[in-house]
Amino acid sequence: MERKITKTVIIGGVKVGGGESVKIQSMCTCKTSDTVRCSAQINALANAGCDIVRVSVLDEDDAAAIKILKASCSVPLVADIHFSHKLAVAAIESGCDKVRINPGNIGGENQIKIVADCIKAHKIPVRVGANTGSLEKSFADRYGKSAQALVESAMQNVRIFEKNGVGDIVVAVKSSNVQLTYEAYTRLSQICGYPLHIGVTEAGTRQNAIVKSGAALGALLLNGIGDTLRISITGDPVEEVYAAKQLLRAVGLDKNFAEVISCPTCGRCRWNVMSLAAKVNERVKDVKKPLKIAVMGCVVNGPGEAEDCDLGIAGSKEYCVLFRKGEIIKRVSAENAEEEFFKELNGILNE
Amino acid sequence: MERKITKTVIIGGVKVGGGESVKIQSMCTCKTSDTVRCSAQINALANAGCDIVRVSVLDEDDAAAIKILKASCSVPLVADIHFSHKLAVAAIESGCDKVRINPGNIGGENQIKIVADCIKAHKIPVRVGANTGSLEKSFADRYGKSAQALVESAMQNVRIFEKNGVGDIVVAVKSSNVQLTYEAYTRLSQICGYPLHIGVTEAGTRQNAIVKSGAALGALLLNGIGDTLRISITGDPVEEVYAAKQLLRAVGLDKNFAEVISCPTCGRCRWNVMSLAAKVNERVKDVKKPLKIAVMGCVVNGPGEAEDCDLGIAGSKEYCVLFRKGEIIKRVSAENAEEEFFKELNGILNE
């Protein structure tokens, strides 16, 4: 897959765009001014692998809290602001690393200019875009709630900041509809050179959100589109980070992990693949180097799949076979298989 | 999205290809000859929404069991056979609705001809294809374990059956790698007019499998590719069916359900969106008509998203607002919101 190369934008030291690794984002669910809870949540997100955290700024207390949060957290913070240019300025002066703003709802041209000047003075980027939930009436009337409407609205917001001399921009076109998301970002990537923040908005509760985001963002990433992403889940935001990591690994954009392939088992399977697969997944979940491990129920695809695996196991009627890089290294009885497999696996992990 | 139109193939009365709805498949994990357990599993899969169920045939008992299973189940059954043309013939004579076979491992040309003649006599289709786990050495040597190798191998298997007069063919190119899956099916769909069975093989345990399959199959379906699918999970196969249904709904290929969009909540949210979203999902999970319901934490995207919803709720500091098709129908206090929401929802569901 060839990635679309966009402009590199730096968010609190973290590079987004320009072919850099795709950065994972999430958002705090607690009130930003509740700095004790908020800082705990930001650090939990960072520990889970979140690269950039967004917080909402509703009032002056929230804006002031950013300074405190920055002191207790090491991950870049993005301030999400609606309806007030004063809060945008306050959040920037408080030290946020990026602002997410909708120029259509923070007042008129003068207010936008004030925010733009503040952004330039503090050398931070801005995220703009469009969302089917807050699409301007003019675009909705002209194009319907379509991919074109989202793209035109987003690009108008880009031009407003460009006109005010802001050049570090991240762009998003959000919808809760998977097809619309895929179509809008595909169009946007053809005409926009800024890094794209991809996501399906209001994707719902966990599994539904993972399926929706997996389909839309997976399709985009497989076509080289997307510089930073959020998998939006109604639930604990740490789950968003886990799912985002899994997606980047699934599409080949993060290779530093232990991939466990395991068959779904069928009537051919005579030993407990599910139990071993679950244990192997648990054992390797924190591994940060590229490894491939296969847990296969039978010999139909087992040895073939195990060929390029660092370690593989395939069962048959009487015994299981352990493989390393296509070579059979051991035949073991089904009852000893798990112990022998973990002996080999631990050896590989300690190499 | 425009779907690629393939040949229509009929599997036990169920149409696959030709622009028909995308059919969901899964596979039994128990021994086929254990007809009590197997029939219970087949019926559980069918009740969950599985359109076609595959069973493995390892021996003559399994082949004979198909006749018994067909009598106790109403969903089409596919026999999965390796290494023996005799078992293929036995499974077909026992009444299976399709065979999945690898012509490369059931003997030579004579054996393939015997199976092909039996397939034609019983007017059933065959599924062929390639799998990185069992890719012929000649293709792997020439092309590596690449998309091209999978496609060339699959098409050779197609031609073997065509040469023997079999015209009702379903084709698959399976890999545990998401990028390879996406690339292989994309290539295959350009040169193959038969319906495609799409899936990521050995996708692993549940969430990982859902992310991988969501990305690969989501990307294919969003490009109009795929006539029948399996989401392969190391776990209970009923989970495969639920995930497949969610995916078809996510990409807009199944509209007869109640879509619940809910925001991930943030610092702006002052009431329990998560709790209500979970309850709403549970309430509507069996609805079979197109409905859209929004559970939104605040007014930023709430009213906009609720515009095309059959029912929506958005919160603010003091009260929540209920919407129907963009019209505010009621303002309620946060503490009465849930009760009022369900009163409206139940009304809509009973319409």
Side-chain angles (χ1 to χ4, degrees), chain A residues 1 27-32 56 58-59 80 82-83 131-134 145 175-176 178-179 182 201-208 210-212 214-216 218-219 222-223 230 232-236 239-240 242-243 246-247 250-252 255 259-268 270 273-274 277-278 281 292 296 299-301 303-305 307-308, chain B residues 1 27-32 56 58-59 80 82-83 131-134 145 175-176 178-179 182 201-208 210-212 214-216 218-219 222-223 230 232-236 239-240 242-243 246-247 250-252 255 259-268 270 273-274 277-278 281 292 296 299-301 303-305 307-308:
Chain A
M1 167 219 328
M27 188 167 184
C28 282
T29 54
C30 44
K31 182 86 169 75
T32 307
S56 60
L58 269 85
D59 52 38
D80 192 286
H82 290 273
F83 313 128
N131 186 313
T132 45
S134 54
K145 280 196 174 182
S175 161
S176 61
V178 168
Q179 286 170 273
Y182 180 56
T201 190
E202 291 107 30
T205 48
R206 188 165 140 214
Q207 184 164 319
N208 225 344
I210 290 173
V211 170
K212 277 182 153 183
L222 285 168
N223 284 294
R230 176 186 185 194
S232 160
I233 295 177
T234 305
D236 183 348
E239 294 290 345
E240 300 189 342
Y242 291 144
Q246 282 182 309
L247 180 59
V251 298
K255 296 187 193 300
E259 180 179 14
V260 182
I261 64 168
S262 57
C263 78
T265 86
C266 67
R268 278 189 295 272
R270 306 298 177 85
V273 167
M274 289 184 206
N281 272 291
K292 194 172 169 189
M296 306 290 292
V299 294
V300 169
N301 292 314
E305 280 293 347
E307 207 168 276
D308 56 355
Chain B
M1 166 220 327
M27 187 166 183
C28 282
T29 54
C30 45
K31 181 87 169 75
T32 306
S56 59
L58 268 87
D59 52 38
D80 193 286
H82 290 273
F83 313 127
N131 187 313
T132 44
S134 54
K145 280 197 174 182
S175 162
S176 61
V178 169
Q179 287 170 273
Y182 180 55
T201 190
E202 291 105 32
T205 47
R206 187 164 140 214
Q207 186 164 317
N208 225 343
I210 291 174
V211 171
K212 278 183 154 182
L222 285 168
N223 284 294
R230 177 185 184 193
S232 159
I233 295 176
T234 305
D236 183 349
E239 293 291 344
E240 301 188 342
Y242 291 143
Q246 281 182 310
L247 180 59
V251 297
K255 296 186 194 299
E259 180 178 16
V260 181
I261 64 168
S262 57
C263 77
T265 84
C266 69
R268 277 189 294 272
R270 306 299 177 82
V273 167
M274 288 184 206
N281 272 290
K292 194 172 169 189
M296 306 291 291
V299 295
V300 168
N301 292 315
E305 280 293 348
E307 207 169 277
D308 56 355

Side-chain angles (χ1 to χ4, degrees), chain A residues 46-69:
Chain A
N47 287 337
C50 190
D51 299 301
I52 298 161
V53 177
R54 188 153 47 114
V55 296
S56 60
V57 174
L58 269 85
D59 52 38
E60 286 177 22
D61 289 347
D62 288 343
I66 288 175
K67 194 170 189 171
I68 301 162
L69 295 172

Side-chain angles (χ1 to χ4, degrees), chain B residues 282-334:
Chain B
E282 182 58 29
R283 177 69 184 86
V284 302
K285 72 176 169 22
D286 295 320
V287 171
K288 294 277 190 296
K289 60 181 178 182
L291 282 177
K292 194 172 169 189
I293 297 155
V295 181
M296 306 291 291
C298 81
V299 295
V300 168
N301 292 315
E305 280 293 348
E307 207 169 277
D308 56 355
C309 281
D310 298 280
L311 181 62
I313 182 168
S316 79
K317 240 180 212 171
E318 291 90 23
Y319 56 85
C320 292
V321 180
L322 302 188
F323 300 85
R324 283 195 71 167
K325 295 282 180 195
E327 302 288 322
I328 295 180
I329 54 165
K330 215 176 262 180
R331 277 168 204 269
V332 295
S333 68

